[in-house]
Amino acid sequence: RNPLNDELLIGKSMSALVGKEYHSSDDDDDVISLTQVNRNNNDDNASTDSWTFRRNPTDEIFGQEAPSSGVSVKNHKNVQELTINKLNYDTGLVGRETEVNTLLTCLDNVSETKSKELILIKGYSGVGKSKIAAAAVRHAKKKGIAAQAKFEQNNSVQPYSGISAVFDQLFVKIMKSAEHSSLLVSVRDSILEELESEMIHLLKTVIPKLGDIFTEASLEDHHHHHGSLIKKDSTTYSYEADFEKIKYALRVLTRILCSYFAPLVLAFDDIQWADTASLQTIEYLLSDPTNRHGLAIIGLYRSNEVDENHMVTQMVANLEGLQHLLGFHITTIEVSSLDIVSVNKIIMAMLLIDDPTRTMGLTEICFKRTLGNPFFVIQFMAMLEMEGLVTF
């Protein structure tokens, strides 16, 4: 079954979702419970199975001992509701150790060997591709610089939308840090040295944040010293007519940034919605034979939306034919649904419980209905809490 077609989280009663009648219990303010009632036809006698998770709210809010204010725990109900009486949604990267290790190994290799690599992360929607890529972005910050952006489905006709967003993020990060002020000047000077003013004007139409670095005055000054200023109102640019120039300018800009940061990591989410110009630009950046510095481009896509005729498939095929000639690598990481053990770990994390046997009954229900898709698992648990079927 395709979990994307499983309409289990919206507008469904619990009888339709789980096939049984459920009742919540709020007899104890310090209990999390989900009670399953199995009825045999019209038999009034019911056998009941329940999952009850007890915590000590006083320990979690105030430490091991209750506050010596003379106020009972019952009177701290509002405090509890703001703290422990909520599901924990920060479940981390449960069950994704292999995928994350593969990704970080690729980044370390790029950093150490100053190589270029395309890392493709594919899988169904909701399996956690973006979270895995975010781990790479955090890891790259230790040595280089990284940014992550996405292509929007309703913006697929706008050229360079994802590329614009990711490079904007890079320059925001460079400008934001005070200690990088001298570095920013150096990067700016390198761009002025490598690109003519017309090319910089073109880049500013694609990367708006460059306008904060290259003012008209600075470009005029550059023209007086180097010539070749061709002023053109940004609204008159045609992406189609200037495609080769923009592509070249982005390649030079990427090469310059790679020389300052090792590695440079660009993560693009939902490349199945990228425009043709963006995919061709990504291909052009990776195939730059003059870039001798570390570059990693991470492309995330929904595998069920990319077939053999898709533009992403064609881009990868083109790059596979060039990788040995031009010395870059391609790594594919497939992210599938989680097994029941990992789903149980997510539910344990959400309920802040460290005993896997106490949550397994609830996990079996969640796994049956979500097929191990972590996003659906979290949404399923949120629905149970919203409906009062998991009580604290």
Side-chain angles (χ1 to χ4, degrees):
R1 292 164 52 195
N2 183 347
L4 298 177
N5 297 328
D6 211 351
E7 298 179 2
L8 53 102
L9 298 178
I10 302 175
K12 298 285 188 178
S13 66
M14 283 308 298
S15 59
L17 280 168
V18 190
K20 298 183 175 73
E21 181 183 357
Y22 282 81
H23 298 282
S24 61
S25 170
D26 51 9
D27 296 332
D28 188 337
D29 287 339
D30 307 332
V31 173
I32 307 165
S33 64
L34 176 64
T35 303
Q36 173 186 355
V37 180
N38 298 317
R39 296 193 182 276
N40 298 320
N41 298 327
N42 297 323
D43 190 357
D44 291 333
N45 297 322
S47 61
T48 302
D49 298 321
S50 65
W51 293 272
T52 301
F53 311 110
R54 293 183 177 274
R55 300 179 189 156
N56 187 332
T58 307
D59 290 352
E60 295 201 32
I61 299 175
F62 304 104
Q64 292 187 352
E65 295 184 0
S68 57
S69 60
V71 183
S72 68
V73 174
K74 292 289 185 181
N75 291 336
H76 288 283
K77 185 176 175 112
N78 291 337
V79 177
Q80 293 177 34
E81 288 177 351
L82 293 174
T83 53
I84 68 165
N85 287 6
K86 302 292 181 183
L87 289 174
N88 170 42
Y89 291 96
D90 184 14
T91 59
L93 287 164
V94 173
R96 299 306 185 200
E97 294 79 10
T98 300
E99 292 88 347
V100 171
N101 288 337
T102 300
L103 181 56
L104 299 189
T105 299
C106 291
L107 295 184
D108 289 339
N109 180 65
V110 168
S111 178
E112 293 167 7
T113 64
K114 299 186 184 302
S115 59
K116 299 186 291 291
E117 182 144 5
L118 172 64
I119 305 166
L120 298 169
I121 304 177
K122 65 178 184 177
Y124 281 107
S125 174
V127 294
K129 302 183 298 295
S130 298
K131 276 190 174 183
I132 294 172
V137 171
R138 291 191 298 270
H139 182 75
K141 290 179 182 177
K142 299 175 183 178
K143 298 180 180 179
I145 192 169
Q148 182 175 2
K150 68 180 298 181
F151 291 96
E152 300 288 351
Q153 184 176 19
N154 58 2
N155 202 27
S156 59
V157 296
Q158 176 64 34
Y160 308 109
S161 61
I163 289 176
S164 173
V166 84
F167 276 98
D168 266 350
Q169 283 187 36
L170 289 176
F171 282 102
V172 166
K173 290 181 179 182
I174 296 172
M175 292 185 293
K176 197 172 182 181
S177 186
E179 64 267 21
H180 287 165
S181 56
S182 60
L183 176 61
L184 178 60
V185 173
S186 181
V187 170
R188 183 192 64 191
D189 291 345
S190 295
I191 296 172
L192 286 170
E193 183 178 343
E194 293 289 333
L195 290 173
E196 296 178 353
S197 297
E198 180 193 5
M199 292 293 193
I200 296 175
H201 274 292
L202 277 172
L203 278 179
K204 287 169 63 177
T205 67
V206 178
I207 309 170
K209 281 298 174 183
L210 279 179
D212 297 336
I213 302 172
F214 297 103
T215 62
E216 290 299 324
S218 67
L219 291 178
E220 288 281 2
D221 182 65
H222 177 65
H223 165 60
H224 292 318
H225 289 86
H226 300 85
S228 75
L229 177 65
I230 303 176
K231 286 195 72 173
K232 207 175 185 184
D233 184 79
S234 62
T235 59
T236 66
Y237 283 115
S238 166
Y239 285 116
E240 293 181 2
D242 293 313
F243 170 65
E244 292 298 330
K245 292 179 181 179
I246 293 173
K247 192 170 67 169
Y248 172 77
L250 285 168
R251 176 188 263 190
V252 173
L253 176 62
T254 301
R255 189 189 307 152
I256 291 170
L257 293 177
C258 286
S259 69
Y260 283 94
F261 304 99
L264 172 64
V265 179
L266 309 177
F268 298 100
D269 208 338
D270 287 325
I271 61 172
Q272 77 275 357
W273 294 328
D275 58 286
T276 303
S278 294
L279 293 178
Q280 290 182 5
T281 299
I282 291 172
E283 182 179 340
Y284 197 60
L285 299 182
L286 282 165
S287 59
D288 182 4
T290 59
N291 187 355
R292 307 296 182 186
H293 305 279
L295 169 65
I297 295 182
I298 304 173
L300 292 68
Y301 66 91
R302 298 180 181 183
S303 53
N304 59 303
E305 296 186 22
V306 174
D307 58 20
E308 59 183 10
N309 298 316
H310 197 281
M311 291 188 300
V312 171
T313 306
Q314 296 172 13
M315 178 194 72
V316 174
N318 293 338
L319 289 170
E320 285 175 342
L322 296 171
Q323 61 177 330
H324 297 298
L325 177 65
L326 299 177
F328 60 88
H329 303 91
I330 300 176
T331 300
T332 301
I333 300 173
E334 185 165 4
V335 185
S336 57
S337 295
L338 297 173
D339 58 24
I340 193 168
V341 174
S342 297
V343 171
N344 195 33
K345 290 179 180 178
I346 289 179
I347 292 177
M348 289 168 60
M350 295 187 77
L351 297 175
L352 301 177
I353 292 172
D354 57 7
D355 183 357
T357 62
R358 296 169 64 192
T359 54
M360 184 52 74
L362 177 56
T363 294
E364 289 173 351
I365 294 173
C366 290
F367 187 78
K368 175 183 176 183
R369 301 311 305 168
T370 65
L371 304 180
N373 184 297
F375 176 77
F376 289 168
V377 169
I378 292 172
Q379 293 299 306
F380 189 92
M381 289 293 294
M383 185 193 65
L384 293 180
E385 181 188 38
M386 180 178 65
E387 296 291 337
L389 299 167
V390 176
T391 57
F392 298 78

